[in-house]
Amino acid sequence: MLDTLKTPRLLLRRWRDSDRLPFQKINADARVMEFMPEQLTPEASDELFDRAESHFIQHGFGPFAVEYLEQNAFIGFIGLSIPNFDAPFMPAVEIGWRLAFDYWGRGLATEGARAALGCGFEELKLKSVVSFTVPGNFRSRRVMEALGMTHDASDDFDHPRLPEGHPLRRHVLYRISR
Ligand SMILES: CC(C)(COP(=O)(O)OP(=O)(O)OC[C@H]1O[C@@H](n2cnc3c(N)ncnc32)[C@H](O)[C@@H]1OP(=O)(O)O)[C@@H](O)C(=O)NCCC(=O)NCCS
């Protein structure tokens, strides 16, 4: 079970009930959710929390709750998960992230994701990992690039959960191999 990781500034850990409220706030923040189809209601945020915990139980790894060590504060999630939709690049393991707005721009996503990716390769023995977002999410793409992930336009895809014509339907795919 890959359920805790420490970096110089972050604790990546399993989810606690006390994370529910701050996670609801993150998921209701229009700035954080700019490239998502919608801001989440508290109920939808809790469902995402529950899915993250279930992922650990089912697969032995998952999207970590992220704690900023200096403040002992829950600030979002970073980690590996198996996408729950079908796409040309599936089956695959994805790396993803979502942090509270106040913590952006300090290299925290890159720091946490680098640790999660390293464990994915070294402990879980994954052969490759993907990441995806909409073309305009340059912050997220910069994190992917900082991790050494590469983008091949022939991998780009339409997200099957979004209807045709939806402005967020097109996605860029990044890959990295062990
Ligand atoms: C994506 C996200 C996790 C990045 O977190 P972060 O801790 O600020 O990321 P980092 O500081 O490690 O790196 C951000 C990079 O983006 C760059 N960046 C910041 N604003 C940018 C912009 N407007 N355009 C391009 N690059 C930008 C930063 O310079 C940095 O790159 P650098 O390290 O080369 O300087 C955070 O912005 C977030 O939670 N966004 C909302 C959720 C989201 O979009 N998740 C991904 C969905 S697939």
Side-chain angles (χ1 to χ4, degrees), residues 1-2 52 55-57 59-63 80-82 93 124 126:
M1 172 73 78
L2 178 56
H55 197 292
F56 278 98
I57 293 162
H59 301 289
F61 66 94
L80 300 166
S81 61
I82 299 172
V93 172
L124 303 175
L126 299 175

Side-chain angles (χ1 to χ4, degrees), residues 79-91:
L80 300 166
S81 61
I82 299 172
N84 60 359
F85 58 86
D86 202 18
F89 59 84
M90 290 292 286

Side-chain angles (χ1 to χ4, degrees), residues 9 26 31-36 75 77-78 94-101 103-112 131-134 136-146 171:
R9 292 178 293 171
I26 292 169
R31 299 166 300 186
V32 175
M33 301 304 277
E34 180 183 359
F35 299 110
M36 300 291 149
I75 62 164
F77 72 78
I78 296 174
E94 169 200 3
I95 187 158
W97 34 71
R98 185 177 301 167
L99 298 183
F101 180 80
Y103 295 86
W104 290 10
R106 309 180 193 186
L108 293 175
T110 304
E111 181 174 315
S131 192
F132 47 82
T133 187
V134 296
N137 192 347
F138 296 112
R139 272 183 287 271
S140 195
R141 295 179 70 166
R142 282 295 301 145
V143 176
M144 295 171 197
E145 285 158 13
H171 276 62

Side-chain angles (χ1 to χ4, degrees), residues 150-167:
T150 54
H151 171 229
D152 178 342
S154 66
D155 280 331
D156 292 354
F157 66 103
D158 290 327
H159 201 298
R161 289 271 159 86
L162 294 173
E164 250 178 79
H166 193 290

